[in-house]
Amino acid sequence: MPVNFMCKKMAHRTSPMRANSTQSLTSEEAEKHNIQKSISKSISKLSFLIAIIIVLLVFILIWVVIPVSFMFSLNFQIFMVFFPIDSPRNVDFDHPEAFGIEGVRNFHLTTRDYYDNTVNTSIGAWLVLHEDDINNITSNNVTEILENTQRDILFYFHGVLCNRAKALDQYRVLRKHFLIVAVDHRGYGDSGDNVRVGEEGIVHDHIQIYDWVKSINPSSDFYYWGHSLGSALSAHTVKLIKELHSEVPKGLVLESPFTSIKDVLVNIVLGKIFSWLAYFDQTILTPLEKNGFHFRSKDNVVPIDCPIMILHAEDDFVIPYFLGENLANIAKENRQAEQGDLVFHGISSDYGFGHNNIVFHPNIGGFIQDFKAVCRNFTDYS
């Protein structure tokens, strides 16, 4: 038999086997592809399910757990209202010169706690000498300095996230016009570490500090200057001085103020995250009201019988400008002429001062001197 015939015959016999083998491989690949496709779909579905679960958990955490926790936890409320976090941290208050400021005396006063009158607490403060007295006064005795001064005395109240070592730029400006008593509210710095932090507690501490300074020096003119949360505390303090002692300071300055804590919460970004909730009032606003976190400057400024100056920057992204403007309008509309003038300075956003830097205004000294003249004229008139 010819060889080429044999080869053709063998080729004829083996070709079906090859075809079957190819067909088998194609089928396996198809099956493998289908399995991979099925696995990919399962993974996609699982990923989508996990994403939905994560979103749901985040929603529950932010819009359920946080508001409900806030409603039941007084400590949570205290933290979110006061943010009593030291800035700067680890301060040696006995050595203010370490911060580049001279003529400052550190001291502490003991006050009786408002919430438990069997408890005393220590309140820390700095006495910041008038600029012209830095080199003239060598005594470290705060009582002696206060007793002998003929300067106007300013009580300075800071806001949140700071202590009395923070407002150095403010002191450098204000000491040109006053002898400053810069007080750390309980819960800030080294003040009141054994008592509850609250509006009434802080204000009654400040009343006792006022009484102490007044007992030492009854003849100086007293002013109050509050920044941000400190503005609400100073307005409340001045109102209470009138109620308890039938006295008023010479003047009150409110820097970057607001009308009430409720108005702040519904108008700032953090508050708007929760304010759309149907239970916002029940879980956020009502507990604050129940536990005494009011800060109703719009009520407290009305009975105050001394001139008031309000300063607010248009580009304040912490406390909206319109809240300071509203507070000024409320004071103007509800106070009588014999209670003293209301001076409002809306600071243009062109300056870029924001929430903290109004004291850098090129005419801040003029604002202060003009306001002091208004206060002196009011005293003469009354």
Side-chain angles (χ1 to χ4, degrees):
M1 184 179 292
V3 174
N4 62 346
F5 175 78
M6 290 288 293
C7 290
K8 286 180 181 179
K9 193 170 183 180
M10 287 180 67
H12 177 72
R13 286 176 181 174
T14 57
S15 61
M17 290 177 63
R18 286 179 181 172
N20 288 339
S21 176
T22 302
Q23 186 176 0
S24 175
L25 285 171
T26 304
S27 176
E28 286 177 8
E29 288 174 355
E31 187 177 353
K32 217 181 259 186
H33 177 71
N34 288 335
I35 292 171
Q36 289 174 348
K37 191 174 180 182
S38 176
I39 291 172
S40 179
K41 284 183 177 179
S42 297
I43 291 173
S44 296
K45 288 179 180 178
L46 183 61
S47 299
F48 179 74
L49 181 61
I50 290 172
I52 291 293
I53 292 172
I54 290 173
V55 170
L56 183 61
L57 288 174
V58 170
F59 180 89
I60 292 172
L61 173 64
I62 295 176
W63 285 287
V64 178
V65 174
I66 290 178
V68 171
S69 300
F70 186 89
M71 177 173 63
F72 290 111
S73 173
L74 176 61
N75 288 334
F76 192 5
Q77 293 168 32
I78 289 171
F79 181 80
M80 294 306 296
V81 170
F82 291 100
F83 285 100
I85 300 173
D86 271 346
S87 176
R89 300 182 66 84
N90 302 318
V91 177
D92 182 356
F93 292 109
D94 283 323
H95 294 92
E97 64 277 3
F99 293 91
I101 186 167
E102 301 294 330
V104 178
R105 309 290 190 267
N106 187 49
F107 67 102
H108 293 83
L109 294 173
T110 298
T111 62
R112 185 64 58 96
D113 182 33
Y114 171 79
Y115 303 106
D116 182 354
N117 61 15
T118 66
V119 174
N120 290 335
T121 192
S122 176
I123 303 297
W126 273 357
L127 186 70
V128 183
L129 299 180
H130 189 283
E131 185 180 75
D132 294 339
D133 294 332
I134 294 174
N135 297 318
N136 298 331
I137 296 178
T138 58
S139 173
N140 290 320
N141 188 315
V142 170
T143 301
E144 180 184 314
I145 295 171
L146 286 169
E147 185 178 17
N148 295 327
T149 189
Q150 295 181 358
R151 303 290 184 184
D152 295 334
I153 297 174
L154 175 74
F155 293 94
Y156 181 84
F157 292 178
H158 62 68
V160 303
L161 285 169
C162 64
N163 53 48
R164 61 187 182 276
K166 183 78 169 180
L168 302 180
D169 292 322
Q170 284 75 10
Y171 302 153
R172 291 187 181 101
V173 170
L174 298 176
R175 74 186 318 177
K176 297 177 186 292
H177 312 276
F178 305 97
L179 169 65
I180 305 169
V181 178
V183 184
D184 266 337
H185 320 300
R186 57 169 61 191
Y188 295 88
D190 55 356
S191 290
D193 59 1
N194 64 323
V195 290
R196 170 185 160 187
V197 178
E199 181 179 1
E200 290 289 348
I202 292 173
V203 169
H204 280 82
D205 288 338
H206 287 306
I207 292 294
Q208 294 173 69
I209 294 168
Y210 168 84
D211 291 342
W212 179 76
V213 176
K214 183 84 174 187
S215 70
I216 296 169
N217 186 335
S219 60
S220 285
D221 288 333
F222 294 89
Y223 292 80
Y224 278 82
W225 186 301
H227 173 253
S228 194
L229 186 72
S231 71
L233 293 169
S234 60
H236 192 166
T237 299
V238 172
K239 175 195 171 189
L240 201 57
I241 290 172
K242 177 187 173 183
E243 291 178 359
L244 296 177
H245 302 321
S246 299
E247 299 174 4
V248 289
K250 199 77 169 177
L252 169 65
V253 181
L254 307 176
E255 179 189 357
S256 307
F258 52 90
T259 46
S260 71
I261 193 68
K262 178 179 178 181
D263 293 341
V264 172
L265 285 175
V266 298
N267 285 290
I268 61 173
V269 174
L270 183 62
K272 287 179 179 179
I273 293 174
F274 299 98
S275 60
W276 61 273
L277 296 171
Y279 45 86
F280 177 69
D281 280 15
Q282 182 181 358
T283 58
I284 305 295
L285 299 183
T286 300
L288 289 175
E289 186 78 14
K290 178 182 175 183
N291 288 319
F293 301 106
H294 307 302
F295 302 99
R296 291 197 195 98
S297 294
K298 60 185 176 184
D299 296 332
N300 292 332
V301 296
V302 174
I304 290 174
D305 293 333
C306 70
I308 301 172
M309 179 167 70
I310 294 177
L311 308 164
H312 212 128
E314 293 175 341
D315 58 335
D316 187 335
F317 297 111
V318 177
I319 303 295
Y321 172 78
F322 74 87
L323 290 181
E325 193 174 39
N326 287 352
L327 183 62
N329 290 333
I330 289 169
K332 283 181 180 178
E333 293 168 5
N334 293 281
R335 295 169 74 244
Q336 304 301 315
E338 59 269 19
Q339 290 181 269
D341 290 345
L342 186 289
V343 179
F344 178 72
H345 292 290
I347 310 299
S348 171
S349 58
D350 293 342
Y351 289 106
F353 292 147
H355 185 64
N356 294 315
N357 297 316
I358 289 177
V359 294
F360 290 115
H361 192 284
N363 196 35
I364 188 67
F367 293 162
I368 294 170
Q369 287 301 106
D370 290 347
F371 179 65
K372 290 181 73 174
V374 167
C375 294
R376 287 192 298 269
N377 290 336
F378 171 72
T379 304
D380 293 342
Y381 168 78
S382 59

